[in-house]
């Protein structure tokens, strides 16, 4: 459970101040225009959602905001200043992010992962670190205290000494958020923070995001879970094929026919998500009925065919179990892949190190 933090966080900007101002951001990969002339602002105290179908350009836009990509055209300003085209400088300026596919140091402890996120805020230089003088020890103690406080804030205080890879998936996502907060950002970008979470974890993440906003941090969030977006966001922008189709409050966006056609399928009536839940329940009931029918037929069939069916079931079950655990070993095996493009492996830890690893086009040098 999220607990309020008492320490000084990033100084909350005056209400309504423009924190992020992206203008005409375009990103081309060869002949493909992944993001086309997108304008977006985020103000202090706001939670803004970025939605759109798969491949719409959401993550590419995030990468343009955070210096991982240098936009082909356009400009990104943070609190009025044009951002430097290097991700560590963007972090130092005040923008932190989490990734669609979790990027933790899986063999480090939970606390150490958060301490890594503090490095942009540690002023002690090389000599101080080498000589381990009083300044270094003081800074280190302060960093540990802040990291511990952030772990309490996201609900991981009791797990500070656990290896990151041993955390359940939902807690790994929380740890990524704690690490991002460790750089004391003024703007937090969350890329699908509830991917792979169960409904309970998703609700807890909603609370956490509200609590972060209340700390004075503006938030831009990509998410496919519409209920999450509609519950959370003051404004929602919709990207379709790289272009911003519409921007407005949740109601306006949900009712826009172009959005419905391009993305939502049909408008949400009443409690968002109810229709989907009913659809899933009906499909499950139908499939159960069908399998009972098939079972009765199988009983009447000869034994070898029944064995083959059992074998198939076993294979499917094992595959599901390995996806669910998706922790250290999977993560280590996955380390060389480009997490941003591999959506089918969401419940795994994508990489040993948090840099974007797979794409030679990223600007993370
Ligand atoms: N490094 C790259 N090189 C070439 N094409 C890329 C690169 N990164 C993204 N793309 C392409 O840009 C388009 C937008 O991809 P992007 O991942 O930004 O979409 P998205 O909206 O985040 O999708 P999703 O919701 O599935 O994560 C896609 O066609 C994708 O294949």
């Amino acid at each position: 459970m999220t607990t309020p933090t008492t320490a000084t966080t990033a100084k909350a900007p005056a209400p309504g101040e423009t924190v992020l101002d992206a203008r005409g951001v375009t990103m081309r990969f060869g002949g493909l225009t992944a993001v086309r002339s997108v304008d977006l602002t985020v103000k202090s105290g706001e939670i803004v959602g970025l939605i759109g179908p798969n491949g719409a350009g959401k993550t590419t836009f995030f990468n343009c905001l955070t210096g991982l990509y240098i936009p082909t055209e356009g400009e990104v300003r943070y609190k009025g200043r044009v951002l430097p085209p290097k991700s560590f400088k963007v972090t130092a300026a005040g923008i932190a992010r989490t990734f669609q596919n979790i990027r933790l140091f899986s063999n480090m402890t939970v606390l150490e992962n958060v301490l890594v996120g503090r490095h942009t805020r540690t002023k002690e230089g090389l000599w101080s670190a080498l000589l381990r003088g009083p300044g270094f020890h003081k800074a280190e103690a302060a960093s540990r205290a802040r990291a511990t406080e952030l772990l309490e804030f996201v609900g991981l205080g009791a797990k500070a000494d656990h290896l990151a890879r041993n955390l359940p998936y939902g807690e790994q996502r929380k740890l990524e958020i704690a690490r991002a907060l460790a750089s004391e950002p003024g703007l937090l970008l969350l890329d699908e923070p509830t991917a792979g979470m169960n409904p309970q974890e998703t609700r807890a993440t909603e609370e956490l995001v509200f609590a972060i906003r209340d700390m004075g941090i503006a938030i831009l969030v990509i998410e496919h879970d519409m209920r999450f977006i509609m519950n959370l966001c003051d404004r929602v922008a919709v990207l379709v094929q790289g272009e911003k189709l519409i921007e407005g409050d949740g109601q306006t966006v949900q009712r826009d026919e172009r959005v419905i056609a391009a993305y939502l399928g049909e408008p949400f009536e009443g409690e968002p998500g109810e229709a989907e839940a009913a659809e899933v329940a009906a499909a499950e009931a139908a499939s159960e009925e069908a399998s009972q029918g098939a079972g009765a037929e199988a009983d009447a069939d000869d034994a070898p065919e029944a064995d083959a069916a059992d074998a198939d079931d076993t294979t499917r079950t094992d595959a599901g179990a390995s996806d669910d655990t998706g922790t250290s070993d999977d993560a280590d095996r996955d380390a060389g892949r480009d997490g941003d493009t591999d959506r089918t492996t969401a419940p795994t830890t994508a990489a040993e190190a948090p840099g974007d690893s797979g794409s030679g086009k990223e600007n993370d040098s």
Side-chain angles (χ1 to χ4, degrees):
M1 192 63 198
T2 304
T3 54
T5 180
T6 51
T8 318
T9 57
K11 191 168 170 281
E17 178 194 355
T18 299
V19 176
L20 177 78
D21 187 4
R23 288 189 201 172
V25 172
T26 295
M27 186 72 212
R28 292 194 194 94
F29 299 108
L32 173 82
T33 305
V35 175
R36 188 188 300 272
S37 204
V38 172
D39 296 336
L40 189 76
T41 57
V42 181
K43 295 191 164 136
S44 60
E46 268 194 318
I47 303 176
V48 176
L50 187 61
I51 65 171
N54 289 339
K58 303 179 297 295
T59 296
T60 301
F61 183 64
F62 259 33
N63 289 344
C64 291
L65 300 181
T66 53
L68 276 176
Y69 293 159
I70 301 172
T72 318
E73 289 164 28
E75 192 177 74
V76 183
R77 287 173 184 266
Y78 174 72
K79 295 188 180 175
R81 288 199 177 167
V82 177
L83 284 169
K86 294 271 182 206
S87 54
F88 69 92
K89 288 187 181 169
V90 170
T91 309
I95 298 183
R97 75 175 287 180
T98 65
F99 290 88
Q100 189 173 315
N101 279 21
I102 295 171
R103 298 175 180 206
L104 293 170
F105 294 97
S106 57
N107 287 322
M108 286 167 64
T109 68
V110 165
L111 180 68
E112 285 165 348
N113 268 277
V114 183
L115 284 170
V116 169
R118 292 280 317 156
H119 79 275
T120 52
R121 293 291 170 251
T122 309
K123 292 195 179 66
E124 295 303 305
L126 175 68
W127 286 111
S128 174
L130 289 176
L131 298 171
R132 305 217 151 214
F136 173 79
H137 286 295
K138 206 172 154 194
E140 196 182 49
S143 270
R144 290 180 83 84
R146 179 63 181 143
T148 303
E149 188 178 49
L150 286 169
L151 286 176
E152 295 286 342
F153 176 69
V154 301
L156 291 177
K159 299 206 170 173
D161 296 329
H162 292 217
L163 286 182
R165 68 183 187 188
N166 291 337
L167 293 185
Y169 184 70
E171 291 187 349
Q172 291 194 14
R173 284 220 172 271
K174 283 185 184 175
L175 176 54
E176 262 219 322
I177 291 175
R179 187 178 59 190
L181 292 175
S183 66
E184 310 292 350
L187 173 69
L188 178 62
L189 308 181
L190 300 170
D191 196 346
E192 298 196 29
T194 71
M197 285 188 176
N198 63 36
Q200 223 176 345
E201 290 172 322
T202 301
R203 297 286 84 81
T205 304
E206 264 175 36
E207 271 184 46
L208 180 59
V209 175
F210 278 130
I212 293 168
R213 190 268 317 270
D214 293 345
M215 286 161 68
I217 298 170
I219 291 159
L220 179 61
V221 56
I222 294 175
E223 188 49 77
H224 285 284
D225 180 335
M226 285 305 119
R227 175 153 65 167
F228 179 84
I229 284 286
M230 297 308 164
N231 282 350
L232 207 61
C233 296
D234 303 300
R235 257 186 315 126
V236 179
V238 185
L239 280 193
V240 176
Q241 294 179 0
E243 291 186 70
K244 192 170 79 176
L245 192 63
I246 183 179
E247 183 182 336
D249 61 36
Q251 296 280 333
T252 309
V253 165
Q254 284 180 63
R255 293 197 175 128
D256 188 280
E257 296 206 342
R258 294 165 302 164
V259 177
I260 294 165
Y263 183 56
L264 297 175
E266 56 185 64
F268 293 107
E269 293 294 342
E271 178 80 351
E274 267 178 10
E276 295 97 306
E279 230 172 81
V280 171
E284 279 173 357
S287 111
E288 206 169 295
E289 263 176 39
S291 74
Q292 275 168 4
E297 278 172 28
D299 287 346
D301 285 346
D302 54 47
E305 280 182 19
D307 285 351
D310 287 349
D312 278 347
D313 283 350
T314 311
T315 312
R316 278 195 296 274
T317 308
D318 287 351
S322 102
D323 273 349
D324 283 344
T325 47
T327 52
S328 57
D329 291 341
D330 291 338
D332 291 341
R333 276 197 302 275
D334 286 343
R337 290 210 302 256
D338 186 343
D340 286 344
T341 54
D342 187 0
R343 305 200 65 250
T344 55
T345 56
T348 63
T349 304
E352 185 70 21
D356 263 2
S357 54
S359 170
K361 290 199 165 61
E362 287 172 356
N363 175 44
D364 207 15
S365 52

